[in-house]
């Protein structure tokens, strides 16, 4: 029998909706009981939801990153590039040190993942992406002054479009592409993973170009 739907903006700590992710989460709880090992909540700026003008949408928590620390993009390589770039454009205070007590603060920016629980091999299944989309749409609905959305990777991009009720063909994924849909401006980017940066799929300059566009939209 399928678990009952959850009518909440945020999933509970023991969210039962995706059996494979629950099993993986329980395995890591047994192996590393001091880790977060639960759905990772959005990271909000000073001022909370009312202050959000830029939303960054990622893929899912990394096993030793957000799954360990409980904060998006914290504890793995991808966070270094993301938070350095946010700092460069005035969206963070430059205190990122890959741990939750590093003093990091965001300005006007929220960060959330398309899938809240860590998936095996960092590869959520389509049914898991679809199931978790309610927890992507929920926070977006609480940001009254949201101007721009940066999507990191095709999965995040497509799930964001679906959360907004937009057909994928109306805003196809392409690095640094801009789309105006459903009352929002979306800028898509390759994901800032170590693999993409090590292979040259994504350079620092390419990533900064995305956030330059987002900053222009936010400050228009």
């Amino acid at each position: 029998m399928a678990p009952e739907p959850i009518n909440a903006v945020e999933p509970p700590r023991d969210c039962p909706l995706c059996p494979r992710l629950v099993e993986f989460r329980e395995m890591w709880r047994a192996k590393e009981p001091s880790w977060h090992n639960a759905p990772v909540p959005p990271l909000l700026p000073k001022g909370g939801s009312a202050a959000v003008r830029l939303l960054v949408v990622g893929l899912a928590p990394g096993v030793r990153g957000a799954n360990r620390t409980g904060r998006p993009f914290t504890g793995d390589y991808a966070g270094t590039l993301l938070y350095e770039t946010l700092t460069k454009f005035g969206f963070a205070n430059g205190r990122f040190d890959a741990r939750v007590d590093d003093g990091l603060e965001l300005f006007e920016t929220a960060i959330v993942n398309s899938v809240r629980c860590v998936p095996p091999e960092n590869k959520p299944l389509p049914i898991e992406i679809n199931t978790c989309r309610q927890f992507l749409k929920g926070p977006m609905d609480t940001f009254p002054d949201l101007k721009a959305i940066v999507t990191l990777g095709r999965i995040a991009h497509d799930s964001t479009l679906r959360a907004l009720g937009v057909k994928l063909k109306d805003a196809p994924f392409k690095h640094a592409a801009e789309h105006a849909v459903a009352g929002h401006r979306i800028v898509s980017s390759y994901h800032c993973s170590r693999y993409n940066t090590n292979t040259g799929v994504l350079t620092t300059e390419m990533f900064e170009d995305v956030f330059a566009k987002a900053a222009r939209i936010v400050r228009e």
Side-chain angles (χ1 to χ4, degrees):
M1 182 180 295
E4 290 292 324
I6 295 172
N7 296 314
V9 172
E10 290 297 311
R13 176 172 174 79
D14 295 314
C15 183
L17 295 181
C18 301
R20 189 181 75 118
L21 301 190
V22 171
E23 182 180 3
F24 195 60
R25 184 177 71 211
E26 292 300 325
M27 181 192 76
W28 277 103
R29 283 183 180 179
K31 290 175 65 173
E32 298 288 351
S34 66
W35 288 11
H36 178 72
N37 291 320
V40 175
L43 181 58
L44 298 178
K46 293 183 65 175
S49 295
V52 176
R53 304 190 74 193
L54 170 65
L55 176 64
V56 179
V57 182
L59 172 58
V63 169
R64 292 173 175 80
N67 178 62
R68 175 174 61 85
T69 63
R71 192 176 75 180
F73 290 91
T74 301
D76 54 23
Y77 174 80
T80 300
L81 178 56
L82 175 61
Y83 289 116
E84 285 180 351
T85 305
L86 288 172
T87 296
K88 180 170 182 175
F89 289 94
F91 294 117
N93 66 351
R95 294 181 180 174
F96 178 71
D97 196 25
R99 63 179 198 272
V100 294
D101 62 349
D102 54 13
L104 173 73
E105 290 184 337
L106 299 181
F107 309 122
E108 301 181 294
T109 303
I111 302 173
V112 67
N113 281 315
S114 303
V115 175
R116 297 295 192 88
C117 291
V118 59
E121 300 180 351
N122 204 35
K123 294 178 180 178
L125 300 177
I127 191 172
E128 294 160 353
I129 299 166
N130 292 342
T131 298
C132 207
R133 189 169 299 118
Q134 62 184 297
F135 304 119
L136 173 59
K137 185 177 187 307
M140 287 197 290
D141 290 343
T142 70
F143 302 149
D145 200 26
L146 181 61
K147 302 298 184 187
I149 303 172
V150 170
T151 55
L152 302 180
R154 183 182 294 275
I155 289 175
H157 183 77
D158 290 355
S159 195
T160 299
L161 293 181
R162 290 189 169 111
L164 294 171
V166 176
K167 295 179 180 179
L168 303 189
K169 67 179 180 63
D170 292 336
F173 176 81
K174 181 181 179 182
H175 181 77
E178 292 185 51
H179 299 283
V181 292
H184 299 292
R185 304 271 288 281
I186 296 178
V187 187
S188 49
S189 173
Y190 295 133
H191 195 280
C192 50
S193 67
R194 182 185 291 273
Y195 176 82
N196 281 346
T197 56
N198 282 352
T199 58
V201 170
L202 179 69
T203 65
T204 299
E205 292 74 17
M206 290 168 64
F207 201 56
E208 289 180 353
D209 180 47
V210 167
F211 280 90
K213 291 180 178 182
R216 172 178 48 78
I217 294 168
V218 167
R219 290 158 186 160
E220 283 178 347

